[in-house]
Amino acid sequence: MTAKLTALQHRPADLIAERMPQHVAVIMDGNGRWAKQRGLPRIMGHKRGVDTLKLLLRCCNDWGIGALTAYAFSTENWGRPEEEVEFLMVLFERVLRRELAELMAENVRIRFVGNLAVLPASLQQEIERSMVDTAQNTGVQFTVATNYGGRQEIVQACRAIAHQVKQGNLEPEEVNDALFERHLYTQGLADPDLLIRTSGEMRISNFLLWQLAYAEMYITDTFWPDFDHEEFHRALVNYQQRHRRFGKL
Ligand code: FPP
């Protein structure tokens, strides 16, 4: 993979610098099916999925994409077999511990969004450490949605706003898009321009429900572990051919 990575460095010539998405969001689907196809346990698919994520972070850095957000664990994923959930929690922790130095070297700023308070304590510690250590970095803003649900995010924002109104610190008329956004987990992060979902599923699956309002969607049949820089390049070429109207003519 290293040889492939060194070859990345420059943005492919057919991508127009001014039309690069500034924020790409990914639903990393198909890890389990990738593993099954090869007669491997599902967890091997998740392990390989981490490599894809690292590759995309590198592409973002090299090609001028400011932010990448990945859906690592949804609020619904607790319903998976216990050993898979446990494996994922350990994997997140291990990846953070193992990759933190490299994330620093690559100038990546990491942030976790979701209901983090119910995650294993040792994982919460690694999450906190990674966010604090990388807070001053100026490269790609990498957001990891963990125990994340779009509806839950909206509900907790509503609750926080309702409290302020109840306490008399806010008038209902002052509630608008900008104020609402400041109460979301992603506060301060521009909305994604492009959403990529792998493995052919055509669903949003409770991901960034508010933030994806005007995102362009790119869906590929490729399983997440097989999604590579060439596929990412194809998705970006496709994105650059779109005419974004934001509801206007
Ligand atoms: C979906 O595939 C994938 C996941 C639920 C987990 C993705 C997590 C990673 C790749 C690790 C990321 C790590 C960090 C620290 C950010 P699936 O299991 O639903 O696949 P299937 O649809 O084929 O069953």
Side-chain angles (χ1 to χ4, degrees):
M1 190 148 103
T2 320
K4 243 185 192 178
L5 285 184
T6 10
L8 283 178
Q9 300 295 331
H10 300 290
R11 181 175 38 242
D14 56 350
L15 289 174
I16 306 156
E18 302 75 45
R19 300 196 60 185
M20 290 302 278
Q22 270 321 291
H23 182 182
V24 175
V26 288
I27 301 182
M28 313 182 280
D29 208 3
N31 291 348
R33 277 165 282 173
W34 179 92
K36 191 170 176 218
Q37 245 183 15
R38 289 161 179 77
L40 297 169
R42 290 174 55 81
I43 57 172
M44 290 307 291
H46 297 316
K47 270 180 121 172
R48 283 293 295 264
V50 174
D51 294 337
T52 300
L53 206 44
K54 283 166 60 183
L55 181 62
L56 288 208
L57 271 176
R58 179 69 68 85
C59 289
C60 288
N61 242 341
D62 292 350
W63 298 352
I65 298 168
L68 180 73
T69 297
Y71 203 4
F73 195 86
S74 75
T75 44
E76 289 72 32
N77 285 155
W78 295 107
R80 292 186 174 217
E82 205 178 312
E83 62 274 17
E84 184 170 340
V85 171
E86 258 170 40
F87 175 84
L88 282 168
M89 296 299 147
V90 171
L91 179 71
F92 297 155
E93 198 176 319
R94 203 183 300 151
V95 167
L96 280 180
R97 206 171 294 135
R98 198 182 57 205
E99 306 291 340
L100 191 58
E102 200 171 329
L103 289 170
M104 285 301 288
E106 303 245 353
N107 201 18
V108 172
R109 203 162 17 127
I110 191 164
R111 170 175 176 182
F112 278 75
V113 293
N115 179 6
L116 308 178
V118 299
L119 298 174
S122 52
L123 174 57
Q124 285 188 51
Q125 272 171 22
E126 286 303 325
I127 287 177
E128 183 60 24
R129 192 161 74 101
S130 70
M131 293 203 287
V132 170
D133 285 7
T134 65
Q136 304 306 322
N137 289 350
T138 53
V140 175
Q141 162 84 67
F142 177 39
T143 305
V144 187
T146 310
N147 193 22
Y148 174 88
R151 286 185 174 179
Q152 291 82 343
E153 180 183 35
I154 289 171
V155 167
Q156 67 78 33
C158 290
R159 198 175 293 141
I161 293 169
H163 273 299
Q164 290 181 39
V165 172
K166 190 178 172 194
Q167 284 162 0
N169 297 328
L170 189 69
E171 292 299 324
E173 293 69 30
E174 291 176 286
V175 180
N176 55 25
D177 286 18
L179 180 127
F180 197 81
E181 272 168 7
R182 288 202 293 276
H183 290 83
L184 294 173
Y185 298 136
T186 51
Q187 174 250 326
L189 182 67
D191 289 344
D193 302 298
L194 171 65
L195 169 70
I196 297 174
R197 182 163 190 162
T198 51
S199 94
E201 308 291 351
M202 310 226 185
R203 290 187 290 274
I204 301 270
S205 299
N206 205 15
F207 188 41
L208 302 176
L209 294 182
W210 171 282
Q211 299 86 338
L212 289 173
Y214 291 103
E216 296 292 328
M217 292 176 69
Y218 180 87
I219 290 163
T220 168
D221 285 335
T222 305
F223 293 145
W224 179 253
D226 284 332
F227 192 86
D228 62 5
H229 65 289
E230 281 163 12
E231 280 259 8
F232 193 33
H233 176 194
R234 263 198 293 283
L236 294 168
V237 168
N238 183 288
Y239 168 82
Q240 293 201 334
Q241 286 161 354
R242 313 262 182 107
H243 176 49
R244 302 186 74 194
R245 292 199 299 272
F246 298 95
K248 304 178 188 111
L249 287 182

